[in-house]
Amino acid sequence: MAPSVPDMITAARRPAGAVLDHIGPGSQIVVNSFNGEPATVLDALEAAGDRLDGVRLHQMLAPRQRPSIEGKVPGLRHVSWFLSPATRDAFRAGHCDLVPNNFSDVPRLLRRAAAPDLVIASVSPPDRHGYFSLGTDATYTAAFIGEVPFFVEVNAQMPRTFGGNQLHVSDVVGWCEADRPLVVPPSPGVTDRDRAIAGFVAERIPDGATLQIGIGAVPDMVLAALGDHRELGVHTEVFGTGFVDLVEAGVITGTRKATHRGKIITTASLGTQRLYDFVADNPGVEFHPVDYTNDPWNVAREPHFRAVNATLEVDFLGQCASESLGSSYFSSSGGQPDYARGAIMSEHGAAFIVLHAATHDDTVSRIVPQLQPGAAVTTFKNIVDHVVTEYGVAELRGATIAERTRRLIAIAHPSFRDELTAQATTLGYL
């Protein structure tokens, strides 16, 4: 007679250290990102580092610094797929690695490059049917459900969410317990520049559009400016707190979406406790693997898609360096290229790249003739649609190099426009 679900759940309960039973020399372990990181399991791995040999931990967006990230655990090597404040210095010092990628491609790349042996994640408590949920972070780990065994940390404070993020106890080789608040990032400071940029973007979002909007000061202001809109939908990489006000005000309904009508589609949620309470047990919000949510073909199925993402620097060709200034890395590509491409493939879609025209002290232009030497091009010139600063909107798609150059100079900080014009002439662009 097959064991009952309660018996299966009880039988799989283990101390965090039991994860070591499933790890051998050279094991490749996929670690969930941010609030999905299983801290107790990682603590157990680091404590046993002297017994491990060549184990690699693959993770995007680590939420906190760790000895394994700093290269202090001989048996473990951290492999980052998106740098965070917890990993930047370690990467620059050579203590951990970074894999270039588009977010939508991470599950496939992990299969090819790592052939994962185990996935570790923080999850919600199981329901009566034996299902855990990946809570706020489906991301790349959800893509391995039913394919790779999981060892999970059940966090009593992880909200149960719905979508393609349901993990049955039969796919779990062990689970341990934790009771830890989710991380609430500090609210970004908002400036008049941010409000001006947001205004330019918001007026170009029609009623009935489907939105992908990142997190940060400008995205928050864009959402705050949409209060008079109607029947908006959401298909986004990260579902942030700013969306909640629009849902509760009846602005976001999803009734005009072509896919998942009436549903908010995302792969992760990051923000305030109010946001985490909103997504908990909410069937109107679905979390799916990133190779679904960020697939440009899926994005393009929404005919009035609008994507809003930030960058650090834009050159006259429209190339966007969103992950590094020169060769100094800050993050990685993330989903920006995925959504930029998907939005322009959408029948009536549009994509917006936003940035301040200059540094905070107005001493360095962020509109430049050429990107800094060594800069990583995150979103390349052929798929950049609109570039927005506090001085206006430059429409680049379908424009000549000369037109692009003029339009970008027109939205540069006034202090730099004459110099930029002279440099464009020297380059032969004007």
Side-chain angles (χ1 to χ4, degrees):
M1 182 176 178
S4 66
V5 166
D7 287 343
M8 292 173 67
I9 293 171
T10 300
R13 185 175 178 178
R14 297 281 191 277
V19 69
L20 297 167
D21 297 338
H22 307 279
I23 296 172
S27 287
Q28 306 284 328
I29 303 174
V30 174
V31 185
N32 207 1
S33 62
F34 221 73
N35 280 315
E37 179 186 272
T40 55
V41 181
L42 286 173
D43 290 344
L45 285 172
E46 290 179 337
D50 57 347
R51 290 184 277 151
L52 300 175
D53 180 17
V55 174
R56 301 180 71 178
L57 303 174
H58 299 267
Q59 184 182 30
M60 296 185 78
L61 205 63
R64 55 185 64 84
Q65 293 179 324
R66 286 190 157 275
S68 54
I69 293 172
E70 301 294 333
K72 297 177 180 178
V73 183
L76 294 174
R77 179 74 175 182
H78 183 90
V79 182
S80 178
W81 293 68
F82 192 100
L83 295 180
S84 70
T87 51
R88 285 174 194 149
D89 289 344
F91 168 70
R92 292 166 185 166
H95 299 314
C96 67
D97 301 309
L98 175 64
V99 180
N101 64 84
N102 289 336
F103 200 4
S104 63
D105 208 25
V106 168
R108 180 166 57 178
L109 290 175
L110 280 167
R111 291 184 185 100
R112 291 181 177 180
D117 300 294
L118 185 69
V119 177
I120 60 175
S122 185
V123 298
S124 71
D127 66 13
R128 63 190 178 91
H129 302 290
Y131 284 95
F132 308 85
S133 92
L134 291 173
T136 59
D137 295 84
T139 59
Y140 47 94
T141 49
F144 294 102
I145 293 174
E147 184 177 320
V148 177
F150 279 64
F151 191 102
V152 298
E153 168 196 87
V154 172
N155 182 1
Q157 299 189 49
M158 176 66 80
R160 168 167 299 283
T161 59
F162 299 99
N165 63 346
Q166 305 298 300
L167 177 67
H168 193 260
V169 64
S170 59
D171 292 316
V172 172
V173 295
W175 64 273
C176 60
E177 288 186 294
D179 192 347
R180 181 178 60 255
L182 303 190
V183 176
V184 175
S187 298
V190 178
T191 67
D192 289 339
R193 298 182 187 190
D194 300 324
R195 295 185 182 92
I197 294 169
F200 288 127
V201 174
E203 67 187 17
R204 288 165 172 79
I205 296 176
D207 288 346
T210 298
L211 307 177
Q212 178 265 322
I213 296 181
I215 57 175
V218 173
D220 284 352
M221 288 297 96
V222 171
L223 292 169
L226 297 176
D228 292 331
H229 283 60
R230 293 291 177 267
E231 296 183 285
L232 297 178
V234 178
H235 181 120
T236 191
E237 177 180 309
V238 180
F239 184 68
T241 305
F243 286 106
V244 176
D245 290 335
L246 296 179
V247 176
E248 294 181 344
V251 173
I252 290 174
T253 62
T255 51
R256 288 167 62 177
K257 291 180 70 181
T259 65
H260 301 281
R261 186 163 296 177
K263 301 286 188 179
I264 291 164
I265 302 300
T266 188
T267 195
S269 190
L270 180 63
T272 63
Q273 187 59 47
R274 176 180 175 230
L275 171 70
Y276 301 142
D277 292 341
F278 177 83
V279 300
D281 297 306
N282 187 341
V285 184
E286 293 188 357
F287 291 74
H288 291 275
V290 71
D291 52 3
Y292 178 84
T293 60
N294 287 35
D295 183 334
W297 290 103
N298 290 334
V299 171
R301 292 166 68 190
E302 296 295 342
H304 294 275
F305 203 89
R306 294 294 185 272
V308 183
N309 291 285
T311 194
L312 299 171
E313 191 175 68
V314 179
D315 71 9
F316 288 159
L317 296 177
Q319 299 181 116
C320 297
S322 307
E323 56 201 271
S324 74
L325 283 173
S327 58
S328 181
Y329 252 92
F330 288 88
S331 54
S332 189
S333 300
Q336 183 176 126
D338 298 327
Y339 281 98
R341 183 179 293 277
I344 64 171
M345 289 164 55
S346 166
E347 185 177 2
H348 305 289
F352 300 90
I353 297 290
V354 302
L355 76 164
H356 293 169
T359 51
H360 66 91
D361 57 1
D362 294 335
T363 59
V364 178
S365 178
R366 292 303 190 200
I367 304 292
V368 296
Q370 296 175 315
L371 299 179
Q372 295 182 34
V377 176
T378 304
T379 306
F380 80 116
K381 64 186 188 308
N382 299 356
I383 61 172
V384 174
D385 192 9
H386 300 77
V387 176
V388 188
T389 74
E390 64 269 34
Y391 294 101
V393 180
E395 297 185 9
L396 302 190
R397 189 160 164 76
T400 67
I401 289 176
E403 289 168 337
R404 286 168 176 245
T405 301
R406 291 191 189 96
R407 292 172 186 178
L408 286 165
I409 291 173
I411 65 168
H413 192 285
S415 299
F416 298 100
R417 291 177 189 170
D418 289 345
E419 178 184 353
L420 291 171
T421 301
Q423 291 170 318
T425 302
T426 301
L427 288 170
Y429 290 173
L430 293 179

